Structures are given as C-alpha cells and as structure tokens.
Amino acid sequence: MSTPRHPRTARTSSGLHVPALDRRSFLGLSAAGLGALALSACSGPSTAQGTGPSSASALDFSGVKPAGKITMWSNHPGGSQDVEKSMVEAFNASQSDIEVSLVTAGANYEEVAQRFQTALAGGGLPGLVILSDVWWFRYFINDSIIPLDSILETVEMDTDDFRPSFFADYQYDDAQWAVPYARSTPVFYYNKEHWAAAGLPDRAPETWEEFGEWAPDLAAAGTGTQKVFHYPDMAGYAGWTFQNNAWGHGGSYSDGWVITIDEKPVVDALEWMRKGVNVDGWAGVTSNDQATDLSSGAISATVSSTGSLVGILESASFDVGVGFLPGGPAASSPVCPSGGAGLGIPKDITPEEQVAAATFLKFLTSPENAVAFSAATGYIPTRQSADVSELVTAAPQIQTAIDQVEVVRVQDYARAFLPGGDKAVADGVGRVLTQDEDPQAVLTDVRKRLEDIYASDVEPLLA
C-alpha cells in the first residue's frame, strides 16, 4: 500500500474476457468517445451537518459471511453501463452466494452523491457507491463510509497491484477509504498537420514556455484556426488541469491543509495563461468542449482527459498527436494530476453486506476487468499487471496516457478534499482568463474562500 498522506496545521481566516480490438471497434466502443471524465464543478449537497469521521482503526470482519444480495450504485462514467452490466452478470454467474444488482443512481457524480445523502437519512443504502475524486472525502468527514484496509484483507484483495498514485488518492488518516475504478489523467493533444505546417518537431512541448515560443509559428501557419490553443470550460475541468500549471511553476493550491494558492508561483502561472489569452491572443477558453474544438480543426492544440481520446480520433480528419502535460520553469515532473472516480462502502449497512460488497469489489477491479472497463470507456486500467497490449494495438496514442501515470501527482487537498474547492478554483481561473482580472487579487480571494470552506465545513469535523 502506498504511504498515506497526513494532515498539516491549517492557516484559516477563522472473470470478464476482453474482446479482440481493432481500430474501428475501438473507436466504436462508446458513443461518448473514450469516456468523458465527469468532473463537475458543482459544490453539490452539503456535508456540513455531519458529526465527523469515526476512528480509522481496523474493523474486524473475521467470521462474517457475505449477504446474499447487494446493489452497486453508478452513474456509468464514460458510457460504461453495458460493460458494468456485463461484469455484474459475470460475477453473479461465477458463484451462487452473492447476487449483485446494478443501479443507475444518477447521470453524474453529483446526482449520485445527492441520492446517497438522501439514503443516509432515509435508508436503502447500496453495498458499493461510486465517488469521484472530489466527493469521497466529504463522506469520510461525514462518517458515511468505512475504512477499507481490514475488509480488503478479509477478501484477500491484492492492493499492491493498483497503480500507486491512483490508490493513494483515497488515503487519509492512515487508512484507505475507496478503491480506484474509473481513473484518468489530462494529456496534451495536438494536430500533427498544423505542427508540420508550422515547422515544429512532432512532439508535445516539454514546457509551457516552449509552447509559448511555438504559438506565433502556429498562428502564422495559415491553418485557418480560431486560436492556437483552447483552455477547458471554466465550469468543468479548469480546477483540475490548472494544477499542472501551478505545479510546473513550483507552486500548489495547498500544502496539506495550508492554502497556498495565492503565493507567487501560482500567481505567475496564472499570469502566464492570462497573457496568452488577453495580451498575445493565441489562446482562448472554449465555449463548448476543447476536445471537439481540436477534432474540428478550430484549434491546433489543447489539454483534455484521456477520456477524450476516442472521440477525437473518431472525429478528426488529421493525425492526432498525444503527449505528456508540459512542465514549467520550476518543474517538469511530476506535474500531471490524477482524476476520476473510485468505489466506497457505506458505513450504515450490515457487516454481511459490507463483506459482500468487498467480495464483488475484488472481482470488479481485477486486472482483466480493469482492461475490459478501459476498452469500453477509455479510462486507464487501474491495475499494474493489466495486459494493455490489445488496447495499444487498437489506438497507440493510449500508451502515452498509460506511461504518464508513472509521473502522476496526487491532487492538492484544496481541490480534492474541500467541498466546493474545485468550483472555487475554477471560478477564479475563469475571472482571470475571461474577464482579464488581476491574478494576484483573484487568487487572494480564492484563498480566503478555500480557508472559509475548511474552517466551516472540514476543520470542525476533523477535530
């Protein structure tokens, strides 16, 4: 198991087989492309009324027999309903002790979270529930999910085989609170024809500064684009991907619970972005979806989830390049954030139901099923031992995304752990890029907002 992260003192203002794949079948696997990563900026239902997490000491499941029936709640990320249904059916057919039912609990992570909160008060909880990277911690502090260490040992799950950075995303207080499931990272996408027209080397830029030097050549290449580059929609990915820029400049949103988003490195990163949009004019902010903008030829490059890959490949009439996220003047690695969703087990169900859920969880996240889920959605296989050869043969670009996982960085507390933290960051980035406000003043406002969230919604529950 990866080393858990620990809190700091806060500065506050107060059995399924993978089908053989070719390029055509790979591109046709999901109507949503390779699975859109549903990272909404909504703050969603409040968790502030909770009493705080219980002790993370090991629970004892020895001698507990699994319940005969449980449900799994999912929003089917990346159009995964069919493959999830197949995995549930395969599990039910593989044994006769546990019957799992798949429940569509919402259209996105926020709707699932709202239904889960309602069930916490009214009953009808699932055995397994899907929780995004910005949702699971809310249910940890609200004492609504169990630490998984003991129960995963009980069902003999090989947790060492999970990709370490993905597994570490769900660790706090020396315990594991969820297991990675639908996981992705952002990558740098570019139009190889535009690169050639501009006389650029066929690769992603190593740093954002290098890309800034390339941008005038791309703008002058006569490719007919609206802009050279589009940033993500502020309502979605901005809080996720801006971590890359902040880390590359040597900054961060937070250091543990200490909010650092308004310190000079992060301000410098946002100022660099502001100039590209509002001074030099080669960059813009998408009014739709940056992956669609790229595949239509409206821009030459963008940053988007690995879940955008199949949609881009299917729609583009040009060769698509894929590269690691660029670094910055202070750091080139690790500057790529992880993202996506995991699966947790509710606290207020019976131990028998919890053991049944863990038994199914072991099956669901096996290396074989991790590949099957990836093939159907585009999320990165969560298991290190997963055989990805057919995936890579069908779409070689996915190898870049898989390779980048080795240098993925666990997200900052300020985004992943603070309820509404993602939205607070995205709102601030939007003010600078779309309204041309001063980065220092805006990020100071964001810091105060994040500190208020910590002081009101998190710190009292951790005390």
Side-chain angles (χ1 to χ4, degrees):
M1 181 184 296
S2 303
T3 303
R5 297 170 291 174
H6 301 282
R8 296 175 180 263
T9 302
R11 178 184 72 195
T12 70
S13 58
S14 122
L16 184 70
H17 295 290
V18 183
L21 298 174
D22 57 20
R23 177 179 169 84
R24 177 175 295 178
S25 62
F26 183 82
L27 295 179
L29 281 170
S30 172
L34 248 180
L37 182 61
L39 290 175
S40 171
C42 297
S43 58
S46 171
T47 59
Q49 75 279 12
T51 59
S54 57
S55 171
S57 59
L59 303 174
D60 184 7
F61 292 95
S62 59
V64 177
K65 294 184 178 180
K69 292 185 178 182
I70 59 166
T71 59
M72 171 187 167
W73 283 10
S74 179
N75 64 309
H76 318 305
S80 59
Q81 185 168 4
D82 287 344
V83 70
E84 287 182 335
K85 181 180 178 182
S86 295
M87 291 189 290
V88 167
E89 291 174 347
F91 174 77
N92 290 340
S94 71
Q95 45 75 56
S96 57
D97 295 329
I98 305 167
E99 180 182 347
V100 177
S101 298
L102 179 64
V103 174
T104 301
N108 53 45
Y109 297 135
E110 284 64 43
E111 290 185 8
V112 175
Q114 183 66 64
R115 181 168 177 175
F116 184 59
Q117 182 162 305
T118 300
L120 288 170
L125 287 165
L128 279 178
V129 59
I130 194 165
L131 302 168
S132 82
D133 56 345
V134 297
W135 274 102
W136 75 266
F137 194 77
R138 307 180 194 212
Y139 293 109
F140 158 71
I141 61 175
N142 208 34
D143 197 22
S144 301
I145 54 178
I146 64 169
L148 299 179
D149 307 78
S150 176
I151 201 167
L152 297 184
E153 290 181 7
T154 298
V155 300
E156 300 181 344
M157 180 185 287
D158 179 13
T159 59
D160 289 337
D161 187 42
F162 283 103
R163 298 187 187 276
S165 58
F166 288 170
F167 201 63
D169 267 340
Y170 307 104
Q171 292 170 356
Y172 189 83
D173 198 22
D174 295 312
Q176 189 76 32
W177 298 94
V179 167
Y181 177 55
R183 301 311 309 270
S184 184
T185 69
V187 292
F188 187 92
Y189 292 96
Y190 64 98
N191 184 322
K192 290 194 172 191
E193 292 182 5
H194 293 184
W195 252 235
L200 300 177
D202 185 11
R203 61 173 175 82
E206 295 180 359
T207 66
W208 285 109
E209 288 68 28
E210 182 177 49
F211 185 58
E213 295 170 358
W214 291 357
D217 294 331
L218 286 163
T223 57
T225 58
Q226 298 173 6
K227 297 285 184 180
V228 169
F229 181 89
H230 270 174
Y231 289 105
D233 179 4
M234 296 301 108
Y237 289 84
W240 184 42
T241 58
F242 180 49
Q243 289 174 113
N244 158 246
N245 304 87
W247 294 342
H249 275 76
S252 62
Y253 294 177
S254 56
D255 180 8
W257 289 120
V258 179
I259 306 302
T260 57
I261 197 167
D262 65 335
E263 294 184 357
K264 187 176 187 302
V266 189
V267 173
D268 289 346
L270 191 51
E271 170 62 15
W272 187 89
M273 295 165 62
R274 185 196 69 82
K275 288 181 63 180
V277 173
N278 295 298
V279 179
D280 300 328
W282 54 263
V285 176
T286 185
S287 59
N288 178 29
D289 174 78
Q290 72 273 21
T292 301
D293 296 342
L294 177 75
S295 61
S296 69
I299 56 174
S300 296
T302 196
V303 166
S304 190
S305 166
T306 56
S308 301
L309 177 59
V310 118
I312 292 173
L313 293 178
E314 187 176 43
S315 301
S317 60
F318 52 85
D319 288 336
V320 177
V322 176
F324 283 18
L325 290 189
S332 58
S333 181
V335 294
C336 178
S338 58
L343 292 165
I345 297 177
K347 178 183 177 182
D348 292 334
I349 58 176
T350 67
E352 291 78 10
E353 290 171 321
Q354 290 167 346
V355 170
T359 303
F360 175 59
L361 182 60
K362 176 183 178 181
F363 176 89
L364 185 66
T365 59
S366 70
E368 296 78 12
N369 282 335
V371 171
F373 189 80
S374 179
T377 64
Y379 288 102
I380 297 171
T382 58
R383 294 285 192 164
Q384 297 179 90
S385 64
D387 183 358
V388 299
S389 56
E390 289 191 5
L391 296 176
V392 174
T393 298
Q397 293 94 333
I398 201 172
Q399 185 66 58
T400 299
I402 294 171
D403 291 344
Q404 188 176 226
V405 174
E406 298 302 317
V407 292
V408 158
R409 177 169 166 176
V410 174
Q411 296 192 68
D412 293 336
Y413 280 23
R415 178 181 187 265
F417 287 0
L418 293 181
D422 176 56
K423 185 177 188 301
V425 175
D427 287 348
V429 174
R431 286 170 58 187
V432 172
L433 298 190
T434 64
Q435 300 176 42
D436 201 20
E437 294 189 36
D438 174 61
Q440 181 68 72
V442 168
L443 292 179
T444 297
D445 288 346
V446 172
R447 173 180 62 80
K448 293 176 181 177
R449 184 174 171 188
L450 295 173
E451 289 175 343
D452 286 344
I453 292 171
Y454 175 78
S456 62
D457 294 347
V458 176
E459 185 178 29
L461 301 181
L462 294 178

